[in-house]
Amino acid sequence: DSGVTQTPKHLITATGQRVTLRCSPRSGDLSVYWYQQSLDQGLQFLIQYYNGEERAKGNILERFSAQQFPDLHSELNLSSLELGDSALYFCASSAYGTVLTDTQYFGPGTRLTVL
Amino acid sequence: GEDVEQSLFLSVREGDSSVINCTYTDSSSTYLYWYKQEPGAGLQLLTYIFSNMDMKQDQRLTVLLNKKDKHLSLRIADTQTGDSAIYFCAESMRTGRRALTFGSGTRLQVQP
């Protein structure tokens, strides 16, 4: 158990809908990362938050957004869903996210199926 | 640019050693990581190596880094059926963002 929790574990929804994925980092970790794992794209970095502020962006679509709250949990919002958004979404946390020695610990993931 | 490549599949017999290879292209990499993903599970951090090291050993795991060829390998000694999983190599950058760039993963199948 990495100490990173994600809810829900599974999510099934229809095209055009909007969903919210939730992540709680390990106790004391300030940084949260979101990654998407799909069959055709592999594991891709979406976005990073550090202590409530957006720190880095990867291949995140404009239809997707995220935020990190004062209690450091994070939510990833996916809207206008398309079939191609079906994937496993991982959250990872690290102590800082700004230093060389930081290590990322991953949650169990949320499997999103768009029908 | 960032690019991490791995072979897709490796099959070994129980008790043998497994060697999973990875190549990376970004010369500014700092830490290189190995993660393990079992079916239906998240990514478990196995080990990591700093790019100024050549080797790191941790129990049954040995990581070798050839900086000249930008080649990273993970050796698992005395491979067990419980080691069957997908193994991902990942790198983080020396400067800028700390997000990881992953390879496509190597599926390790251990036959009894």
Side-chain angles (χ1 to χ4, degrees), chain A residues 95-108:
Chain A
Y96 299 103
T98 57
V99 298
L100 233 48
T101 51
D102 236 9
T103 303
Q104 293 179 36
Y105 294 90
F106 282 74

Side-chain angles (χ1 to χ4, degrees), chain B residues 37-41 84-86 107:
Chain B
Q37 184 178 30
E38 295 179 89
S84 293
I86 301 176
R107 181 178 294 276

Side-chain angles (χ1 to χ4, degrees), chain A residues 9 33 35 37 43 45 48 55-58 88 90 97-109, chain B residues 30-31 33 35 37 40-45 48 50 88 92-103:
Chain A
K9 195 170 172 62
Y33 304 76
Y35 292 85
Q37 185 179 33
L43 262 163
F45 165 65
Q48 178 198 0
R55 176 158 173 81
K57 259 184 174 177
L88 197 49
F90 285 112
T98 57
V99 298
L100 233 48
T101 51
D102 236 9
T103 303
Q104 293 179 36
Y105 294 90
F106 282 74
Chain B
T30 53
Y31 279 87
Y33 300 83
Y35 283 86
Q37 184 178 30
L43 294 161
Q44 176 193 351
L45 176 65
Y48 59 90
F50 189 46
F88 289 93
S92 69
M93 299 299 110
R94 182 180 302 277
T95 59
R97 73 182 201 192
R98 295 282 171 253
L100 298 174
T101 299
F102 284 89

